[in-house]
Structure formats: structure tokens, C-alpha cells
Amino acid sequence: MALRCGGSWLLSGFRRVVGTSLYAQRLNFIPVRMSSSGPGDEVEEFDLIVIGGGSGGLACAKEAAQLGAKVVVLDYVKPTPLGTKWGIGGTCVNVGCIPKKLMHQAALLGEAIDDARHFGWNVPEKQVITHDWAKLVGAVQDHIKSVNWVTRVELRDKKVKYVNGSGFFQDKNIVAACLNSGQVKCFKGNKIVIAVGGRPRYPDIPGAVEYGITSDDLFSLSSPPCKTMVVGAGYIGLECAGFLNGLGYEATVMIRSVPLRGFDQEMARMVCEEMQERGVKFLHTTVPEKVVKNEDGRLTVHWRNVKDSTTGCDVYDTVLFATGRRATTQDLNLDKVGVKYDKESGKIYTENEETTASDIFAIGDVIQDKPELTPVAIHAGRLLAHRLYSGGSECMDYTNVATTVFTPLEYGTVGMSEETAMQKCGEDNVEVYHAYYKPTEFFVPQRDPSRCFVKVVCERCEPQKILGMHFLGPNAGEVIQGFAAAMKCGLTYKALKNTVGIHPTVAEEFTRIRVTKRSGLDPKPQSCCS
């Protein structure tokens, strides 16, 4: 796909031209049945077969092997329409959390350069500071490859067999793997764990597959994305738009309904307002209708407003679809072995990671109604291995799992949103404490702190057990992690207000929070030492 940025022609990589329906088949991983092992071929037997080499599958496999099980991991990455592939490790390592956080950090460093002038660093005022996209991508990909290598070494050291093949059930205990050579190898397992994760969805509109990209492609683009349309306002869409804007590329976010669905909506609104103030554009209540490639190689996106049916269009260099993900289960032959799953999302129904078929389990993003988070998959995988091979009884607790949205002003959260708490407990039974604050590091450069905000949602009756905590500001992930542990221990508002904060930090703002929404008082920032 050719991109033009600043008047120059840029080649972002080779894309095979495929039809939408053909790629839909590839994306949904409908298997191609090739010649399998013959009657005389050996079928290797294992205690545990893990289908999928992402964070959860690898954690389960390594833990099981440490406990004495004979384990094989089957993993294969089908290329995106752009041809993007990656190594073992799953979404998080290759096209998710890790490259996202590195690019987010790159954008934050751009802000820090300007701040540095105010702190006495002699950064030339008139010098134009530019960013080198290719150098960033190179550094990010070098790190990813090093992690891929370490992962392979760890599997070898722990005596876990790794097969680079796309696995699917031939029978309840037999899993076949399609190899690159076209050969199909079969493995017999006493227990089988499905950990295939998910892949981004493309909307069913003309030009989406042919000309669009997803987060699976973004982190390895050889040329800068330049003016970018991001379709979707979940955490992936907002994070990508945020760091692209921070790196100097014009970004527009298209939102069908609400941003950050499932998150606290007051916090979501503030996240978007902050992004807009920093230069990100938003198209609200809007959906794409088609993507057209122009003669100059750029892309025209046509859209429609879902409220008033008005239409519009604009020209972009890159169109990034962040419109949700689908579990990659359609090629597994789940119906054949009695594993029930949601036909729309592809996600598997489980209870304590057990599927509806005996001795077949599922973990991670592939299971229905559970958080799609790497640490969740890892923890669930390890606990499952102990239940299977060391007599363990502990099951994964999916409540009060913390997470952070790495937008320009980060949003960390654990527990219930305000809306969920009100719905489950009733408005009269919920107390909401809130406060604005100004980080100390914002004072010297006089950065705008107007959306640095904390919120604590708790029961109204004593001792006011805390139901949810929300933090908007610098280092949100680091802040919310400790409070997540406290909430696991039954944190109350009384305990929180009796906790002595570390001064001056942004995390201490949780310990200083006193104003309730019910009081109607202004939650303005307190003075530095009050």
C-alpha cells in the first residue's frame, strides 16, 4: 500500500490483494484439510496438549511441565491481509501490550522534551524536534524478537515440545497440526487446553480488508502511518490514536456509540476530552460505510451519522480498524468434540476453565465473559496446571481485576464503575468520593491538570467497603496496582482515609479524598500539604 506523507511517497509494505470473503475465511481460521498422518504414522502421546502459544497457553504449559507433565504447545500465526506475521508469544508480546506501551512511552518522551526546557535543560527553542518512525519500529521489533527467542529457550529448558503448526481437533483426544510444509501431524493428549486468543475484526464494508489495517499491523509498519483514521473507541483505538497523535501524526477517532464501553463513563468522557484538547479529532455517532483507494494511493473514508443519517468523507493515509476482536476458534472443530461456544464471538463457555467436554479446558481471551487481559490468562493458566497436576484446588478469581488504558493521560481502574455499582446496589446504597488534583511535576512547566481526577465508589453504610477505584493521571498503571491488592483484601473507605500517603506522589491523592458527589461540594484540588 502506498502512502503519501508531507508530499513524499512512502511504501508501507506489500499487501496481497484478496477478496473480502476470502480473507474473512482466513481471519476466522476455517481450516484447510490436508493429507494427515497415515495409519502407520506414529501419533505422539502427551499428558497435556496446549493449542495456542500466547501468554496464557505458555504459562499453563510451562507450569504443567515443571510439575512433571509431558507437554506440547501448538502455535501458528496466520498472516494479516497486509502479510504481517510474528513469532511465538501471542498478542501481548508481539502486537499488543508490549509494543503499545513502548510507543506510548515514545509519545510521552516527546512531551517531556518540552517540559525539560522549564526544568532548566537547554533544549534549543527554535530547533524543530522530529520523530523517526522507522527507528522506533526497529527498536520495538528488536525487543519483540528478543522476547520470542527467550520464550523458545524457556520452552526448551522446561522440556516443553513446541510445534509451529495450526492445531484442530480430529477427535476428543487427538489434535492435528497443519505445518507449513503441508504435512499434518497428530498428537494424543490426556488433557487439552485451548488458548488460541483472538484477532481483530474487520467491519463488513467495501474496502475494509483490502485497504485497512489493524493493531496486528501497526507496530511493524515500515513507513509512518501519517494522517490516520482510527475506527473504534475501545481501549485499543484510543491508545493507538493517542500515541500516534503524540508522535506527531494527525489522528481522528470514529465512535459509533460510547467510548471505552464497559469502563466508568465519567472517566471515559474525560479521557476523550483530554485527547481532543491535545489534538485528536473525534467523529461521534458515526460509522464507516466504505474505504476507497484514490489514484494517488491515499484512502477516502466515507461515513454516516447513525443519529441523523448525514454523510461525510475525508482522505487519510492509513485507516486503522479497532472495532473489536473475535476468538479464533472456528477452525478447531469444537462442535465435533462437544465444546459449546458462542457462534458470534467464537468464545467458549466455561466454568472454572472447564469446557462442556471432559478433559478439554480453555483459558485467556478465548473464554466467554471474562477480562481479555494478559495477566488474567497467565494466572488462570498456572492455577489450572496446579489443579491438573499437583492436586491444587484454587480457581481463578475474576473479580476486581485492575487494568490501565494507556491514553496520553492514563486511566487506571479496579472494581466496579459508578454506573455498575448504582445498578447492582441502588443509588441510595452507594457513596462516590471524587477529587481533582495537580501533580507536582505539572507545576514548573504549568501543564494543564484539569482532568487529573480520582474517584472511589463504595458502599454507603459503614465500614464503606470499596467497590471500585478510578484514577486519571500520570503513571496510572503503577498507582492502581497497589490499590488492586488492597481491594482483594476487602479495602474500606475507613482504612483508605486512615492510610498515610507518600508525599508528594499522585498515588497519595486516593488517601486525601474526602468530598462526596452527594454533598454537592466542589471537588477542586487541595493545596499541596492539606
Side-chain angles (χ1 to χ4, degrees):
M1 178 174 67
L3 302 181
R4 187 179 67 187
C5 181
S8 61
W9 289 96
L10 302 169
L11 186 65
S12 67
F14 172 74
R15 180 195 301 272
R16 283 196 297 265
V17 179
V18 296
T20 302
S21 59
L22 174 58
Y23 183 67
Q25 279 195 324
R26 294 179 181 176
L27 190 63
N28 290 330
F29 297 96
I30 298 171
V32 177
R33 296 286 177 252
M34 298 179 245
S35 58
S36 60
S37 305
D41 293 340
E42 181 182 352
V43 177
E44 196 171 356
E45 295 191 20
F46 291 86
D47 298 311
L48 178 67
I49 299 174
V50 177
I51 308 174
S55 301
L58 292 174
C60 184
K62 290 185 287 186
E63 199 75 12
Q66 291 289 91
L67 295 171
K70 183 182 179 183
V71 184
V72 61
V73 172
L74 313 178
D75 184 64
Y76 180 75
V77 179
K78 288 183 169 61
T80 71
L82 195 65
T84 308
K85 284 192 67 173
W86 50 88
I88 193 167
T91 296
C92 175
V93 166
N94 295 283
V95 290
C97 317
I98 300 304
K100 175 271 303 290
K101 182 70 183 295
L102 292 173
M103 290 196 169
H104 171 64
Q105 176 64 13
L108 293 182
L109 288 173
E111 290 183 349
I113 292 171
D114 186 59
D115 285 355
R117 295 187 175 102
H118 300 278
F119 283 98
W121 289 98
N122 294 316
V123 180
E125 293 283 351
K126 294 184 179 180
Q127 182 175 329
V128 177
I129 298 173
T130 59
H131 181 264
D132 188 329
W133 171 266
K135 190 170 184 179
L136 172 61
V137 168
V140 168
Q141 292 302 315
D142 285 347
H143 174 67
I144 290 171
K145 288 179 175 60
S146 72
V147 177
N148 296 151
W149 171 254
V150 168
T151 301
R152 295 283 294 273
V153 171
E154 282 183 338
L155 291 177
R156 183 193 63 198
D157 291 346
K158 296 182 188 303
K159 296 181 171 52
V160 175
K161 183 180 180 72
Y162 164 63
V163 176
N164 184 210
S166 181
F168 58 92
F169 288 96
Q170 280 200 338
D171 203 334
K172 188 171 179 296
N173 298 106
I174 303 291
V175 175
C178 298
L179 309 183
N180 273 332
S181 63
Q183 181 186 6
V184 175
K185 280 194 170 183
C186 292
F187 305 89
K188 184 176 182 180
N190 295 324
K191 311 285 184 185
I192 299 170
V193 172
I194 302 168
V196 294
R199 295 287 287 271
R201 293 174 181 263
Y202 281 82
D204 186 17
I205 60 170
V209 172
E210 293 86 349
Y211 308 125
I213 67 169
T214 69
S215 55
D216 281 356
D217 304 296
L218 178 62
F219 305 111
S220 57
L221 286 180
S222 58
S223 298
C226 303
K227 183 180 177 182
T228 302
M229 163 64 78
V230 179
V231 181
Y235 75 93
I236 295 174
L238 293 186
E239 287 176 338
C240 291
F243 71 67
L244 288 175
N245 178 73
L247 296 174
Y249 306 111
E250 184 179 333
T252 300
V253 177
M254 183 180 290
I255 307 177
R256 178 187 178 93
S257 53
V258 297
L260 294 178
R261 182 180 298 279
F263 290 85
D264 187 282
Q265 283 302 293
E266 180 181 27
M267 307 302 288
R269 173 181 56 78
M270 296 174 77
V271 165
C272 291
E273 288 175 352
E274 178 71 20
M275 291 179 65
Q276 190 164 354
E277 192 164 293
R278 292 173 183 238
V280 177
K281 299 176 181 178
F282 286 86
L283 287 172
H284 292 277
T285 61
T286 304
V287 294
E289 295 212 304
K290 63 180 177 179
V291 180
V292 178
K293 188 173 184 179
N294 304 330
E295 289 185 2
D296 62 1
R298 303 184 77 199
L299 305 172
T300 298
V301 179
H302 296 259
W303 61 75
R304 173 178 54 86
N305 188 295
V306 296
K307 278 193 172 180
D308 59 20
S309 296
T310 57
T311 59
C313 65
D314 200 357
V315 178
Y316 299 88
D317 297 293
T318 303
V319 180
L320 171 66
F321 290 105
T323 50
R325 299 174 66 83
R326 191 186 193 286
T328 54
T329 52
Q330 286 194 355
D331 66 333
L332 296 180
N333 276 355
L334 296 182
D335 293 323
K336 185 173 185 178
V337 293
V339 173
K340 291 185 179 179
Y341 62 100
D342 183 90
K343 304 298 182 181
E344 172 62 23
S345 68
K347 293 198 171 194
I348 297 171
Y349 297 111
T350 63
E351 184 173 350
N352 294 329
E353 291 77 52
E354 297 181 32
T355 72
T356 51
S358 61
D359 296 324
I360 300 178
F361 307 84
I363 56 175
D365 292 3
V366 79
I367 62 179
Q368 183 82 339
D369 298 326
K370 295 295 185 289
E372 296 183 2
L373 297 168
T374 295
V376 169
I378 291 172
H379 196 55
R382 287 173 177 163
L383 290 176
L384 176 59
H386 279 276
R387 295 202 300 278
L388 295 178
Y389 299 108
S390 71
S393 60
E394 185 179 358
C395 293
M396 177 68 192
D397 179 6
Y398 290 96
T399 60
N400 291 338
V401 175
T403 190
T404 293
V405 182
F406 290 99
T407 39
L409 197 61
E410 299 172 2
Y411 168 34
T413 176
V414 59
M416 295 184 194
S417 66
E418 182 177 344
E419 295 87 355
T420 300
M422 294 290 187
Q423 182 182 18
K424 288 189 174 182
C425 305
E427 289 187 26
D428 292 338
N429 300 318
V430 173
E431 198 74 272
V432 178
Y433 293 85
H434 62 160
Y436 290 93
Y437 67 95
K438 186 168 184 177
T440 303
E441 53 268 41
F442 280 25
F443 279 91
V444 171
Q446 288 299 302
R447 288 177 61 182
D448 181 12
S450 61
R451 293 182 187 86
C452 290
F453 185 70
V454 289
K455 178 196 288 192
V456 175
V457 181
C458 59
E459 294 176 349
R460 194 177 179 189
C461 60
E462 294 291 341
Q464 293 189 281
K465 180 182 178 181
I466 293 179
L467 305 173
M469 302 183 75
H470 305 271
F471 179 94
L472 188 57
N475 304 306
E478 313 302 334
V479 170
I480 210 68
Q481 181 68 81
F483 290 106
M487 281 191 62
K488 282 286 187 183
C489 299
L491 179 64
T492 64
Y493 176 70
K494 181 178 180 180
L496 181 64
K497 73 178 182 180
N498 286 329
T499 300
V500 177
I502 301 171
H503 187 68
T505 65
V506 291
E508 73 170 325
E509 298 301 331
F510 272 128
T511 70
R512 288 153 48 95
I513 195 167
R514 298 291 184 270
V515 176
T516 68
K517 283 193 172 183
R518 192 183 305 275
S519 72
L521 297 175
D522 186 359
K524 64 184 178 183
Q526 301 178 57
S527 62
C528 177
C529 298
S530 64

